[in-house]
Amino acid sequence: MLHWIAEQKYTIGIVLGVVFGMLARLSMLRTDYRQYPTYPHGKIIHISLGFIAAGLGAVAVPSLLDKNYTAVTFLTVAAQQFRDVRNMERQTLSKIDSMELVPRGATYIEGIAMVFEGRNYMVIFTAFVTALFSIVFAWYWGIIAGILAILLTNHFKSGKSICHIADVKTAQVKMDGPNLFVDDIYIMNVGLDDTREIIRKRGIGLIVTPKNKNCRVTIANIGQRQALLHDLSTIMGVYRDEGEPSLLPLAKLDMGDGRLAVFLLPQELDAEKARKVLLQSPVLESAVRMPSEADVQKAGKEGA
Amino acid sequence: MGKIMAVVTADKEQVAGGAPIFLVPNAEELQKVAFKLEKILDASAHDLQNGVMILVDHKSSSE
C-alpha cells in the first residue's frame, strides 16, 4: 500500500492538496451569531467554491513541476473567479441590508465580502503548499505542511476587537427637554413625549473611550459605528419597528476628545452585557487609520 | 440632509411657507398631532422648543 502511494506522487499530492484545502475552508467557515453565510445554502455555495479553490491550488504544483508554465495563467482565472465571489457577497448583503431594522452599513459589508475573497486565496495557498510538499518530498511531509498551513490561515482569520483599541463603560441616558444625552454627549432631539418615555424606560448608554490617537480615528469612522450598532442590535435585540423613526439606536462622537457615545434600545435591559458585546465587536479593517505612522509626526510613534 | 415633511405649531406667528403646516389649538394637541404624523409619514418628530415641532425624514438623506 505504502509502496503504491509512493509511486502515485502526483495523484496523492493533488488529493492531499484538495483535502487540506477543504479542511482549511471548513475551519474558516463559521456561522456564528451573525448567521452569515446563511445555513444551509449559503454554506453550500462557499464549500463548493472552497473545493474549486483547493483544486486549483493543488493542480498548480504538478503543472509547474512538469515545466508546463503556461498552466499557471490558470490562476488568473481563479483570481477573477474569487473577485466575483466578493462581488456576489457584496451585492447580496447590500440588498439584504435595506431590509434590516438596524443596517450593517457599507463598510461592514465590504469587510465581510473582502473576507470571503481572502479566505479563498488562503485555501489556494494551503492546497498549494500541501501538494508541493507531498510531491517534492513525501506524502507525510505534505500532511505536516498542510496542518501548518491551516494553522497559519487560522492565524490570519481573526481580526481585532474593540477591546484592543478602546475602553467601554456604561453610561446614563438622560433627557433634557427634547434633548437626549448619554452622559454629557448629545445624541438627538426627541419631539414626542411618548417616545421620550420609552427612551427613559428602555434606553441604555455606553461610552467608548479610544486608547490612542489611531484608535480615535477608527472609532470615529461612520461605518465602524454602524457596525457596532448592528452587532449590538443583533445580540441584544432591538426595540424598534418600521414606522417608528424616532426609536433609533445611534452612536455620536464627542468631537472634543474623541469619545463615542452609543445609545441603544435593546430587548434585554442589561447594560453590563451590552458592554461585553461591544468589547467583542470586530474592528473593521477598512476603518483603521494610522495617523501616527505619518512622517510629519515629531514625538515618536504613538500606540504602536 | 433631512427633509422637513411637515410643521406642527400652536403659534401661527412662528411659521410660514415651505412644508405643510398643521395649526393646533394647544400644546397637548401639538403632541397628539405630531405623534400621528410621525407614524403616518415615517418621519421623526423634533421639538424646536419654541412651540413648533417639525417632522423630518432622515432616511431620504442616507439612501
Side-chain angles (χ1 to χ4, degrees):
Chain A
M1 176 71 184
L2 281 174
H3 183 67
W4 180 84
I5 288 176
E7 272 182 357
Q8 307 284 321
K9 273 208 150 178
Y10 283 2
T11 317
I12 290 299
I14 291 170
V15 168
L16 278 179
V18 171
V19 167
F20 275 91
M22 282 300 287
L23 286 177
R25 189 68 191 100
L26 288 173
S27 73
M28 290 188 289
L29 194 67
R30 289 280 155 77
T31 300
D32 55 6
Y33 64 91
R34 283 168 276 216
Q35 281 298 300
Y36 202 86
T38 48
Y39 182 82
H41 294 98
K43 277 204 146 177
I44 291 172
I45 291 171
H46 286 290
I47 290 170
S48 318
L49 285 166
F51 180 75
I52 295 171
L56 283 167
V59 169
V61 177
S63 59
L64 270 178
L65 292 176
D66 282 346
K67 301 206 166 35
N68 189 0
Y69 298 126
T70 46
V72 176
T73 53
F74 202 51
L75 289 176
T76 57
V77 181
Q80 183 60 47
Q81 159 90 359
F82 297 123
R83 265 212 301 283
D84 286 344
V85 172
R86 180 171 173 177
N87 241 331
M88 171 190 88
E89 287 304 334
R90 179 195 296 132
Q91 278 169 6
T92 317
L93 282 167
S94 313
K95 291 244 165 67
I96 296 172
D97 216 31
S98 60
M99 295 283 134
E100 297 270 0
L101 283 176
V102 180
R104 290 184 173 87
T107 318
Y108 202 179
I109 289 176
E110 212 50 50
I112 295 172
M114 201 153 44
V115 162
F116 278 113
E117 188 184 357
R119 287 189 183 174
N120 274 304
Y121 295 133
M122 298 308 273
V123 170
I124 294 185
F125 165 76
T126 309
F128 184 87
V129 169
T130 312
L132 183 74
F133 275 78
S134 57
I135 291 172
V136 174
F137 302 108
W139 59 272
Y140 44 85
W141 281 111
I143 292 176
I144 294 168
I147 291 168
L148 288 177
I150 289 179
L151 291 177
L152 190 71
T153 52
N154 274 292
H155 171 72
F156 281 117
K157 183 182 82 170
S158 46
K160 278 187 176 176
S161 317
I162 291 295
C163 60
H164 295 114
I165 68 164
D167 299 314
V168 180
K169 67 177 177 71
T170 54
Q172 212 190 343
V173 176
K174 280 179 285 196
M175 296 285 328
D176 175 17
N179 301 313
L180 171 62
F181 289 89
V182 167
D183 267 4
D184 57 329
I185 302 173
Y186 178 78
I187 304 286
M188 63 175 164
N189 180 302
V190 183
L192 298 179
D193 286 338
D194 186 58
T195 315
R196 286 179 210 163
E197 196 49 45
I198 293 173
I199 287 174
R200 258 187 228 111
K201 269 195 207 144
R202 309 207 55 114
I204 279 183
L206 295 166
I207 299 270
V208 185
T209 315
K211 285 186 177 163
N212 61 44
K213 200 159 65 176
N214 294 339
C215 306
R216 187 172 159 172
V217 188
T218 307
I219 285 172
N221 185 290
I222 295 170
Q224 177 67 59
R225 290 194 232 169
Q226 190 60 42
L228 292 180
L229 292 173
H230 176 83
D231 261 21
L232 279 164
S233 305
T234 308
I235 297 175
M236 305 289 295
V238 62
Y239 193 85
R240 175 168 164 73
D241 193 15
E242 212 177 13
E244 297 282 352
S246 299
L247 296 175
L248 183 68
L250 274 176
K252 288 272 161 105
L253 211 57
D254 182 320
M255 288 176 283
D257 56 13
R259 284 176 307 147
L260 184 74
V262 180
F263 165 68
L264 283 177
L265 288 155
Q267 291 289 348
E268 274 179 83
L269 284 172
D270 186 346
E272 190 49 38
K273 190 175 167 192
R275 195 181 80 87
K276 284 188 187 133
V277 171
L278 184 52
L279 280 170
Q280 283 159 17
S281 299
V283 173
L284 302 182
E285 225 172 286
S286 327
V288 175
R289 300 286 183 287
M290 290 281 169
S292 66
E293 297 290 310
D295 295 336
V296 284
Q297 305 290 5
K298 284 178 206 151
K301 301 205 168 168
E302 194 185 337
Chain B
M1 196 183 70
K3 190 166 181 268
I4 300 181
M5 305 301 286
V7 179
V8 192
T9 184
D11 183 3
K12 211 169 155 182
E13 302 299 310
Q14 294 272 1
V15 290
I21 298 165
F22 294 79
L23 290 173
V24 288
N26 52 45
E28 195 189 331
E29 203 61 23
L30 183 72
Q31 281 288 334
K32 281 185 187 164
V33 171
F35 179 84
K36 283 166 204 154
L37 282 173
E38 178 173 288
K39 309 306 170 210
I40 295 165
L41 295 170
D42 196 5
S44 348
H46 297 291
D47 189 350
L48 301 184
Q49 291 180 287
N50 59 353
V52 181
M53 282 181 80
I54 52 172
L55 286 115
V56 183
D57 184 4
H58 295 283
K59 278 184 296 184
S60 56
S61 60
S62 60
E63 275 164 18

